[in-house]
Amino acid sequence: MSTDFLSATLAVDRARVDAFLARAFEQRQPPAPRLEAAMRHALLVGGKRLRPLLVYLAGRSLGASDEALDAPAAAVELIHAYSLVHDDLPAMDDDDLRRGQPTVHRAFDEATAILAGDALQSLAFEVLARAAHPRLPALILTLAVAAGRDGMVGGQALDLAAVGGHPNVEALATMHAHKTGALICAAVRMGALTAVPEQDPRVAALDRYAEALGLAFQIHDDVLDVIGDTQTLGKASGADAARDKPTYPALLGLEGARRRAQELTDEALAALAPLGEAGDPLARLARYMIERDH
């Protein structure tokens, strides 16, 4: 798969999930129009859609149809969008910019932002529950665990507790495995489960791919926070250092963090071996995610 073909595939998949998400707001009379507008602002204004892309590519690698993957892809992005709205709140990271736009609590107000995040989370499970699929319970369980206390929310709690502290590399990896890695793992697993039962050995291979990729992605994000600029990132650069948050560059240095991200990327690529050529798009997406500059 050439770089141009990958770029074209990603563009098509972004447009596909964006269209699916937009339909969730069409042909309805919302009881709370301001809430609806805040949800749209959080969800439909930009975004790389990396997690939905992982759903599509993982599912296709095992034979799932695009139509079957639409709802899982949208559900993962809705959870991601809700998490960003809440992460940006004054009580959390207190950010003013997200995806180059004012954060939801800045564009609207803090209470509306909290409610918009709540509604996006609920909508994720509504979208998924409406999908007719024989393994729907497994899909819902995968997303619920990844999004909650044993996944993303638990990781955010660890992140808040670590501010100003000095965790070691192992503790930092544990935090990121929950805060960032859990939803990336869920995206890949949901794509896989749309295609085959959990007992298929390729599902375990994709789990290993996703675990390594999730941590590599977060390490690279830590690096970008140091070397990137606000315009390119779409959010404030240098925010981690300003908040005294522990990061991989702080613990390992910039070059050490880059090396660790590359080691993990290599692990992710090696995990795809049981998929053969069918895993090539996932390999190329992994490289794209870690080599990106924004």
Side-chain angles (χ1 to χ4, degrees):
M1 177 182 286
S2 70
T3 301
D4 288 345
F5 185 77
L6 176 67
S7 298
T9 300
L10 300 187
V12 169
D13 286 345
R14 287 190 186 104
R16 184 179 185 93
V17 75
D18 281 349
F20 189 94
L21 290 166
R23 287 196 292 274
F25 294 89
E26 295 172 354
Q27 297 180 341
R28 63 187 307 270
Q29 295 296 322
R34 182 175 174 82
L35 171 65
E36 197 90 349
M39 292 170 68
R40 291 175 67 98
H41 181 85
L43 182 66
L44 302 178
V45 180
K48 295 181 287 292
R49 309 302 195 215
L50 293 176
R51 291 152 191 82
L53 296 176
L54 284 166
V55 175
Y56 283 122
L57 295 187
R60 284 188 200 125
S61 74
L62 301 185
S65 69
D66 288 354
E67 291 75 14
L69 294 165
D70 284 337
V76 167
E77 186 62 20
L78 282 159
I79 291 292
H80 179 55
Y82 124 72
S83 75
L84 297 181
V85 175
H86 282 192
D87 282 357
D88 291 337
L89 288 167
M92 305 281 271
D93 287 346
D94 195 15
D95 279 316
D96 295 332
L97 284 176
R98 174 67 66 177
R99 296 168 173 170
Q101 302 291 328
T103 49
V104 177
H105 70 277
R106 293 299 184 195
F108 294 84
D109 58 75
E110 190 172 344
T112 299
I114 293 170
L115 294 174
D118 292 344
L120 289 166
Q121 182 188 46
S122 296
L123 184 57
F125 291 99
E126 178 184 338
V127 164
L128 196 54
R130 290 183 186 277
H133 192 277
R135 283 181 292 279
L136 182 59
L139 293 171
I140 291 174
L141 179 62
T142 297
L143 187 59
V145 172
R149 61 182 181 178
D150 292 325
M152 184 182 68
V153 174
Q156 180 67 19
L158 292 173
D159 187 33
L160 291 171
V163 172
H166 303 283
N168 59 27
V169 172
E170 290 75 19
L172 194 59
T174 298
M175 179 185 79
H176 287 318
H178 289 78
K179 182 182 176 182
T180 303
L183 200 56
I184 287 176
C185 288
V188 173
R189 174 167 268 256
M190 289 169 72
L193 293 178
T194 303
V196 298
E198 185 176 11
Q199 295 75 19
D200 189 301
R202 294 171 297 177
V203 176
L206 285 169
D207 284 342
R208 293 191 295 273
Y209 162 84
E211 288 168 8
L213 178 62
L215 186 52
F217 178 80
Q218 181 58 55
I219 295 173
H220 187 60
D221 209 52
D222 284 356
V223 170
L224 290 180
D225 189 70
V226 176
I227 67 173
D229 61 84
T230 298
Q231 182 175 359
T232 301
L233 296 174
K235 58 183 179 179
S237 61
D240 291 340
R243 299 188 189 101
D244 198 19
K245 294 178 72 171
T247 65
Y248 275 86
L251 290 178
L252 302 178
L254 268 178
E255 290 309 311
R258 283 173 166 148
R259 282 195 300 272
R260 184 56 183 145
Q262 186 57 59
E263 290 169 359
L264 287 161
T265 303
D266 291 342
E267 290 178 21
L269 300 182
L272 293 172
L275 278 68
E277 291 184 2
D280 185 59
L282 284 165
R284 291 185 178 273
L285 181 60
R287 295 189 187 98
Y288 165 82
M289 289 171 66
I290 305 307
E291 294 169 1
R292 78 198 195 288
D293 58 3
H294 55 83

